[in-house]
Amino acid sequence: MTNNITLDRAIYRLCHNDGTLTELTLCGLRLNAADGTLLARALATNSTLTTLSLWNNKVRAEGAAQMAEALATNSTLSFLDLRDNNVKDEGAAWLAAALAINSVPWL
């Protein structure tokens, strides 16, 4: 699992489908909605990541909405942890709609 990685490096590796990056933990880094959007864009075309842990950040509803959009096209991710990100009902609704299209077993 990748724990000591910067957001920029993680996005670069996601965008380039780095086959060695299958699990990514970016917890407690104060990532915001804009960071969540950048991650979501990279995740939308990534085909290697299976686990993404983002708990204890500040992704909020806006970032969750972008993550949901990425989940609609990403068929590899099987675990997404967004605990303690203040996604609220709006973000949860976006994620639920994405799960209707593409099932991530552990959200």
Side-chain angles (χ1 to χ4, degrees):
M1 189 174 301
T2 303
N3 290 313
N4 297 320
I5 187 171
T6 65
L7 178 62
D8 291 340
R9 186 72 182 147
I11 290 172
Y12 176 86
R13 290 177 66 188
L14 287 169
C15 287
H16 288 85
N17 281 304
D18 181 340
T20 64
L21 184 64
T22 58
E23 297 182 14
L24 179 60
T25 300
L26 297 170
C27 301
L29 299 177
R30 298 183 183 175
L31 302 179
N32 59 33
D35 297 328
T37 297
L38 292 173
L39 275 170
R41 287 181 185 158
L43 191 59
T45 58
N46 180 271
S47 62
T48 61
L49 195 70
T50 60
T51 301
L52 178 58
S53 295
L54 297 173
W55 58 268
N56 195 23
N57 282 292
K58 298 180 185 307
V59 171
R60 304 193 193 288
E62 299 85 12
Q66 295 300 314
M67 285 286 171
E69 212 172 288
L71 289 176
T73 59
N74 182 296
S75 61
T76 321
L77 194 70
S78 60
F79 180 89
L80 175 62
D81 186 350
L82 286 171
R83 285 178 292 155
D84 298 324
N85 271 281
N86 201 22
V87 299
K88 300 197 179 208
D89 290 344
E90 180 184 358
W94 282 104
L95 292 165
L99 290 176
I101 297 168
N102 187 2
S103 179
V104 177
W106 296 101
L107 179 66

